[in-house]
Amino acid sequence: MAANVDLSTNVAGVKLPNLFYNASGVMCQTEKELNQLIESDSGALITKSATFLPREGNPSPRYTALPNGIGSINSMGLPNEGYEYYLNFAKNYNYNNSKGKPLFISLSGLSVQDNVNMITAFNDADLPCILEVNFSCPNVPGKPQLGYDFEGMENALTVLAPLIKKPFGIKLPPYFDIAHFDIAANIFNKFENLAYVTCINSVGNGLAIDVETEQVLVKPKDGFGGLGGLMVLNTALANVNAFYRRLSPGKQVIGVGGVTSGKEAFMHVLAGASAVQIGTTLKEEGEGCFTRISKELSEIMASKGYKTLDDFRGKVKTP
Ligand code: DHB
């Protein structure tokens, strides 16, 4: 780590020793994987999106990296251990023995009522974890992404935000139209305890084809799956910056998409990210990526004379 560089940050009023953690879905389904994250140099951890009941997910192959480092495609279909497993993990999470890392819990109910039931159980347990509601899983057949249904998303937030009471976050799909950034941000600004948005979930329903076999690369949904990795970087940066510019003061953006090195992480913070998650690179490289990318970001900051993330967060310039 370059000397005199501080990578710590705050999300939803909670301190992270550094800005990096896993993108939900990667290395976070089982306790064993979550413990790997605790041991790693990440600054936090987030669990796999939980449904009310455990799910096996879609048939395999359901994830693959794509050639030439461009990224990945997945159609996992929400395999997870069910919310009670993650509730138990949160109850047993030892904040004194986890290198100061906050625990984020991702919830992805298949209905608003499922989210209500899961949130109620977390409320009853009264834990210091931060809840993140996922409005953007693209891979469950027959379940559209709520993030693309503005009325449905506002109705869900109207029910869930007062129930959660504490500061919470939401995971968003990528948007591709300025009018949609405006509409979505207007909705989010109505909810005071909505503390942050995480941008972006995978770019939904891409298709990857192998020339030799003439086959699609993942089995579920005739090969349609969420795209991640370097190919989504610029869409991710646009979403981070669009919401950074539009959200009310105090609300934050967490950046995710296309981070393979310190350089892309630096771009995410310049665009406005308060923390940065790593998905495809973590899946392909393993948890050593946190050590490497932290070092690379520190070196970029040191070379530019930046000592903290606040020195350049959101300060991207227009020529
Ligand atoms: C899955 C994919 C997502 O992008 C998401 O937000 C939640 C779940 C999945 O396929 O398991």
Side-chain angles (χ1 to χ4, degrees):
M1 201 82 45
N4 295 323
V5 168
D6 178 4
L7 295 186
S8 71
T9 188
N10 284 274
V11 173
V14 175
K15 179 160 183 176
L16 282 66
N18 74 68
L19 73 166
F20 294 113
Y21 58 117
N22 63 304
S24 178
V26 182
M27 202 179 276
C28 60
Q29 183 173 340
T30 63
E31 213 171 316
K32 187 177 163 210
E33 292 176 312
L34 291 161
N35 285 332
Q36 268 175 279
L37 288 172
I38 294 173
E39 287 307 308
S40 78
D41 283 333
S42 78
L45 57 158
I46 183 164
T47 54
K48 170 70 183 172
S49 285
T51 48
F52 191 75
L53 295 174
R55 287 171 58 89
E56 285 200 357
N58 292 337
S60 295
R62 58 190 189 178
Y63 166 90
T64 186
L66 297 174
N68 306 319
I70 64 169
S72 64
I73 186 165
N74 87 84
S75 182
M76 304 301 288
L78 271 171
N80 77 94
E81 310 300 319
Y83 87 94
E84 284 179 330
Y85 182 94
Y86 304 103
L87 177 58
N88 267 324
F89 181 82
K91 283 179 181 168
N92 294 325
Y93 189 72
N94 184 341
Y95 284 83
N96 299 321
N97 201 14
S98 305
K99 305 183 187 174
K101 301 182 188 194
L103 172 64
F104 293 79
I105 300 283
S106 175
L107 300 177
S108 192
L110 298 177
S111 64
V112 175
Q113 190 56 48
D114 277 2
N115 278 329
V116 166
N117 293 340
M118 293 191 285
I119 290 164
T120 303
F122 274 90
N123 280 348
D124 290 347
D126 193 22
L127 303 166
C129 57
I130 301 160
L131 297 183
E132 179 172 307
V133 184
N134 183 357
F135 286 147
S136 49
C137 172
N139 298 333
V140 179
K143 289 276 172 195
Q145 294 165 82
L146 197 57
Y148 288 143
D149 167 4
F150 292 116
E151 198 183 326
M153 185 161 59
E154 180 163 3
N155 289 339
L157 283 168
T158 301
V159 173
L160 302 179
L163 184 66
I164 297 173
K165 297 182 192 88
K166 298 192 299 184
F168 73 105
I170 54 177
K171 178 78 170 272
L172 295 177
Y175 298 101
F176 302 94
D177 193 293
I178 299 298
H180 293 167
F181 292 134
D182 291 339
I183 295 167
N186 271 330
I187 294 171
F188 304 147
N189 285 335
K190 294 181 188 177
F191 298 93
E192 205 177 318
N193 63 325
L194 175 55
Y196 72 86
V197 300
T198 302
C199 300
I200 58 173
N201 208 316
S202 53
V203 174
N205 294 297
L207 191 69
I209 299 174
D210 181 71
V211 167
E212 194 167 326
T213 61
E214 304 179 11
Q215 286 183 342
V216 295
L217 294 185
V218 293
K219 183 180 168 94
K221 293 176 60 184
D222 295 321
F224 286 71
L227 305 174
L230 200 52
M231 73 175 114
V232 311
L233 172 67
N234 303 90
T235 296
L237 293 173
N239 277 261
V240 168
N241 191 56
F243 286 107
Y244 182 79
R245 289 176 185 277
R246 286 169 177 75
L247 292 179
S248 304
K251 294 196 191 300
Q252 296 175 291
V253 185
I254 295 178
V256 50
V259 175
T260 69
S261 72
K263 209 165 157 181
E264 295 89 16
F266 184 82
M267 292 180 203
H268 267 276
V269 178
L270 260 190
S274 284
V276 171
Q277 299 176 345
I278 304 180
T280 300
T281 298
L282 172 60
K283 175 84 179 163
E284 293 303 310
E285 181 177 338
E287 65 271 34
C289 73
F290 293 118
T291 316
R292 175 179 64 80
I293 296 173
S294 293
K295 180 169 175 284
E296 291 168 352
L297 176 60
S298 300
E299 285 165 359
I300 294 170
M301 287 169 60
S303 74
K304 289 171 175 279
Y306 295 137
K307 290 190 163 57
T308 71
L309 301 172
D310 285 345
D311 291 345
F312 64 102
R313 178 180 296 111
K315 295 187 177 164
V316 63
K317 300 172 204 164
T318 304

